[in-house]
Amino acid sequence: MHEHNHPMNCIVPPHMLETIAANGTPAQRDMAVQTLVASAEMRGRRLALSEYLAAAMRQAAPGGKSRLIYDAKTGVSLPGTLVRQEGDAPTADAAVNEAYDGSGATYDLYKEVYNRDSIDGSGMQLKSTVHYRKGYDNAFWNGEQMVYGDGDEDLPEKDRLFNRFTISIDIIGHELTHGVTQFEAKLVYSYQPGALNESMSDVFGSLVKQRVRNQTAAQADWIIGEGLFTPNVNGVGIRSMKAPGTAYNDPILGKDPQPGHMKDYVNTTSDNGGVHINSGIPNRAFYVTAMELGGYAWEKAGQIWYVTLRDKLTANSQFQDCANLTYLTAGELFGKGSLEQLAVKKGWADVGITVDDGTTPPPPPPEPGGGCLESFLRLIGAAPAKTR
Amino acid sequence: MEIEKIKFERTGGFAGIRLAAEIELDDLPEDERRELLRLLDELDFEELPEKLARHAPVPDEFSYTISVIAKDKKEYTVSAGDAALPADMRPLLEMLESIAKRQMRKHKQDD
Ligand SMILES: [Zn+2]
Ligand SMILES: [Zn+2]
């Protein structure tokens, strides 16, 4: 499996890049200008050095958006027959086109907003298989690719509960984000780390949908899997990030079991320790944070969650860790005591988790001074390598 | 082994919606009952290890647990994850899945 790490997490502030842009060699200027443009797109936010690093590596290696859509033709073999690849015109098959467009929109969110080149951060091809098995009510990430079933298409219409799983774009963003998590925090898929893994997938799945629809946090419905149920089901979708536990209530499928507060945390061994159940708690923490901040949720709240997933969370992180680390990240990105940091605190408080805001302060972040600038210049080949 | 009933449970999946059924063999249509017994026999179900294809959980995959209860009340349980399921288990699971779905719908109509 491909692995990468983040050699440095120091921050290069825009003013430093401006200095490089003004005074560097042509190659350095190029790099700095590009970076400034990218960060201007992110509304002047400071970016972690690892992202500039990733950008620098991308220039050397071919990468970019590369989607491959396969058809399993109701069989179990993966990936199946290649039916559409990057740049190909749409086909007559809705599932193929949805997988193509949805993985494209997910790629774009990660690339354009978080400056991440695909699942692994270095241009990994996005593979999707549609029409997997017959009557298959599911979608999953198998460690290498996304897989989508057609729901209950094998049943008479009156008996169908699920539509095809590509129908809802946030499901595609959800599955792809499982890939991102696999390369980054590597959250274990059980109990609280598993529920955080699930929640990250819902968060970025929802952000893909919100961005495609150009919706602010207040305009978004915060429903995961909208349109997946047929009209035979009493429900608006699979999960509600805004009001966990309210997405469906149906005589056949039962009631949405998600809690939205720690007091309702579900202790179970089923579903890998309730990973699809207790994810309601961090989902709502994200929703409240995003609503506090207003505007487009992918910008500030999404950035905080993304950097936390990439740089802070580890395999066994618990909800409390995620609360502390999103708070820490918000402080690093936007400043201690900033509105952004307070919004994160409020988001977790709403679900019954009190952020540990550092009576024992974490180690100070690396000085964004000469040391950091020097390493940055060295990395883009503008300063001599360190000699002993 | 003389089989009395089969307990089937499917958990996880993207939707996280549990599908479960208790299937009394005597309640099944004759051809379905015969086919189910044939599949169990072919697999040597009672000889299968309790956990098939151990692997780290795959995000959003289904997990299956099947318990076969004999007339002498002996119980044989097998669980397996969808992604690494042995191919020869599929026909049995698909059959149990479709019976379970049918039961779910029937229970609703009975209400
Ligand atoms: Zn990374
Ligand atoms: Zn998932």
Side-chain angles (χ1 to χ4, degrees), chain A residues 196-215:
Chain A
L196 287 173
N197 189 324
E198 269 304 307
S199 178
M200 286 292 171
S201 278
D202 280 351
V203 163
F204 293 101
S206 182
L207 293 181
V208 170
K209 180 168 102 171
Q210 292 175 32
R211 188 161 178 264
V212 161
R213 296 183 174 187
N214 195 34
Q215 288 173 330

Side-chain angles (χ1 to χ4, degrees), chain A residues 187-259:
Chain A
L187 287 157
V188 170
Y189 202 68
S190 60
Y191 297 96
Q192 286 197 19
L196 287 173
N197 189 324
E198 269 304 307
S199 178
M200 286 292 171
S201 278
D202 280 351
V203 163
F204 293 101
S206 182
L207 293 181
V208 170
K209 180 168 102 171
Q210 292 175 32
R211 188 161 178 264
V212 161
R213 296 183 174 187
N214 195 34
Q215 288 173 330
T216 63
Q219 290 164 339
D221 62 14
W222 297 93
I223 296 297
I224 300 295
E226 183 194 16
L228 184 60
F229 286 137
T230 68
N232 298 324
V233 177
N234 181 38
V236 292
I238 303 297
R239 291 180 279 276
S240 168
M241 299 180 68
K242 179 179 179 173
T246 65
Y248 61 91
N249 190 356
D250 181 78
I252 295 181
L253 293 176
K255 188 185 168 303
D256 176 359
Q258 284 213 307

Side-chain angles (χ1 to χ4, degrees), chain A residues 4 6 184 310:
Chain A
H4 62 197
H6 305 280
E184 298 295 353
R310 189 193 60 192

Side-chain angles (χ1 to χ4, degrees), chain A residues 142-160:
Chain A
N142 79 347
E144 290 166 21
Q145 66 158 103
M146 294 154 277
V147 183
Y148 302 96
D150 285 331
D152 299 321
E153 93 296 332
D154 59 327
L155 299 174
E157 212 167 313
K158 66 172 178 47
D159 290 337
R160 291 180 195 169

Side-chain angles (χ1 to χ4, degrees), chain A residues 76 132-133 135-143 152 155 159-162 165 170-171 174-175 178 189 197-198 202 224-225 228-229 232 238-239 248 251-253 257 270-272 276, chain B residues 9-19 55-64 82-85 87 90-91 93-95 97-98 100-109 111:
Chain A
V76 295
Y132 178 71
R133 291 177 53 186
Y136 190 65
D137 294 335
N138 201 18
F140 64 94
W141 164 258
N142 79 347
D152 299 321
L155 299 174
D159 290 337
R160 291 180 195 169
L161 305 176
F162 292 94
F165 274 66
D170 48 40
I171 300 180
H174 177 108
E175 295 310 328
H178 279 310
Y189 202 68
N197 189 324
E198 269 304 307
D202 280 351
I224 300 295
L228 184 60
F229 286 137
N232 298 324
I238 303 297
R239 291 180 279 276
Y248 61 91
I252 295 181
L253 293 176
S270 180
D271 182 29
N272 294 307
H276 294 90
Chain B
E9 188 188 39
R10 189 188 77 187
T11 60
F14 168 82
I17 297 173
R18 181 172 172 272
L19 175 67
H55 63 96
V58 169
D60 297 329
E61 74 170 340
F62 286 135
S63 303
Y64 296 101
D82 193 15
L85 196 70
R90 284 213 186 271
L93 275 169
E94 277 168 17
M95 187 163 194
E97 221 166 23
S98 91
K101 284 186 187 178
R102 201 174 66 211
Q103 283 197 359
M104 263 168 78
R105 291 189 175 82
K106 197 165 167 298
H107 286 157
K108 182 205 174 190
Q109 282 155 15
D111 288 344

Side-chain angles (χ1 to χ4, degrees), chain B residues 61-96:
Chain B
E61 74 170 340
F62 286 135
S63 303
Y64 296 101
T65 303
I66 305 166
S67 295
V68 170
I69 295 141
K71 291 225 157 102
D72 62 10
K73 304 296 170 203
K74 269 207 179 111
E75 202 169 318
Y76 304 88
T77 298
V78 169
S79 33
D82 193 15
L85 196 70
D88 54 0
M89 286 286 293
R90 284 213 186 271
L92 174 69
L93 275 169
E94 277 168 17
M95 187 163 194
L96 292 172

